[in-house]
Amino acid sequence: MRFFVMAIQVRERTIEEIEGKLAGMSTALNKIGYLESALNISGFNFEIKRFLWNELSRLYEERKMFERAARAMANKAGMEVTFRDKIDSYVTAAELFARVGKVDDADDMFVRASRDANTEQKSKVRLARKNIFSVSAKELESKGKKASAVKFYEKLIKMNLDSAEKAEIKVKLLTTYKALGMFREAKLLAGL
């Protein structure tokens, strides 16, 4: 789905002026159009660009446009100053990608977060990855989207999990493979 939004002239130069302009707009689509126009203007510093990407991501998420929200959050992460903020933004982007079933894009965001993380933060990123993928797989399965859930289970089974978790994922993956008629994959997994 593509939106063709007219370019809106942006005269505001500070976050406060931008917030004031946004407060005066009535619909989310008008705000999105304004923010996208503002992002095309050169001359804004990183602080203002981070604010614009964050607001854009929030508005997309409110409108359930999760993939666009994730892309906006990933762009924000690229402009973050501190590693902690960068990691948080990448993990948020990964979660948003996972909500639309974009497992490879979500995985890419986790890789980027890990790249900028220290040892303690890496373990938190791994835990977030495991939890987000588990929740996403269960939600997709409960909605009857087994083929999409398989992608998350396949990522989970390759992760460094404890034996009980790995066994649980293996059972779910075997069951899902058989339900989808993927008997060759089930046979291969059973052999592991």
Side-chain angles (χ1 to χ4, degrees), residues 126-145:
R126 278 192 298 272
L127 180 63
R129 180 176 182 239
K130 180 186 81 167
N131 291 338
I132 289 170
F133 283 2
S134 295
V135 168
S136 296
K138 288 174 186 167
E139 281 180 12
L140 287 166
E141 207 168 10
S142 70
K143 293 177 183 175
K145 298 180 178 181

Side-chain angles (χ1 to χ4, degrees), residues 1 16 31 40 56 61 87 89-90 96 104 112 135 137 152 155 163 167 171 175 184-185:
M1 175 168 37
E16 292 76 22
K31 292 176 183 179
N40 290 326
L56 195 56
E61 188 176 358
I87 292 164
S89 293
Y90 278 133
L96 290 165
D104 291 328
R112 291 181 189 195
V135 168
F152 286 102
K155 289 286 185 181
S163 57
V171 168
T175 308
R184 188 179 70 223
E185 288 85 350

Side-chain angles (χ1 to χ4, degrees), residues 170 173-174 177-178 183-192:
K170 187 175 179 180
L173 193 52
L174 274 170
Y177 276 158
K178 288 176 183 172
F183 299 110
R184 188 179 70 223
E185 288 85 350
K187 199 173 195 177
L188 285 171
L189 183 64
L192 289 179

Side-chain angles (χ1 to χ4, degrees), residues 96-124:
L96 290 165
F97 276 126
R99 289 176 81 173
V100 289
K102 298 272 187 175
V103 70
D104 291 328
D105 290 330
D107 208 30
D108 181 47
M109 293 297 112
F110 283 120
V111 167
R112 291 181 189 195
S114 292
R115 201 173 35 213
D116 294 323
N118 63 29
T119 309
E120 180 187 328
Q121 292 166 326
K122 281 183 190 210
S123 65
K124 289 180 181 177

Side-chain angles (χ1 to χ4, degrees), residues 7-152:
I8 299 170
Q9 193 164 16
V10 179
R11 293 187 180 99
E12 295 73 26
R13 291 287 165 227
T14 66
I15 290 176
E16 292 76 22
E17 290 173 354
I18 293 169
E19 285 175 327
K21 179 79 171 182
L22 288 172
M25 293 182 174
S26 56
T27 69
L29 287 177
N30 287 342
K31 292 176 183 179
I32 288 170
Y34 173 77
L35 291 169
E36 286 178 345
S37 294
L39 283 164
N40 290 326
I41 294 175
S42 61
F44 281 137
N45 63 27
F46 283 128
E47 183 182 358
I48 293 173
K49 291 244 184 207
R50 280 193 309 272
F51 170 78
L52 294 171
W53 283 120
N54 191 57
E55 287 299 302
L56 195 56
S57 178
R58 186 183 58 76
L59 287 167
Y60 280 142
E61 188 176 358
E62 284 176 5
R63 299 202 41 91
K64 306 227 182 306
M65 299 166 72
F66 298 119
E67 187 172 357
R68 284 178 173 246
R71 296 213 185 283
M73 190 54 68
N75 285 329
K76 177 183 178 253
M79 296 186 166
E80 292 290 6
V81 177
T82 67
F83 286 119
R84 176 176 289 159
D85 291 339
K86 188 178 285 248
I87 292 164
D88 290 345
S89 293
Y90 278 133
V91 169
T92 302
E95 184 176 4
L96 290 165
F97 276 126
R99 289 176 81 173
V100 289
K102 298 272 187 175
V103 70
D104 291 328
D105 290 330
D107 208 30
D108 181 47
M109 293 297 112
F110 283 120
V111 167
R112 291 181 189 195
S114 292
R115 201 173 35 213
D116 294 323
N118 63 29
T119 309
E120 180 187 328
Q121 292 166 326
K122 281 183 190 210
S123 65
K124 289 180 181 177
V125 170
R126 278 192 298 272
L127 180 63
R129 180 176 182 239
K130 180 186 81 167
N131 291 338
I132 289 170
F133 283 2
S134 295
V135 168
S136 296
K138 288 174 186 167
E139 281 180 12
L140 287 166
E141 207 168 10
S142 70
K143 293 177 183 175
K145 298 180 178 181
K146 292 182 187 303
S148 296
V150 162
K151 294 176 187 174
F152 286 102

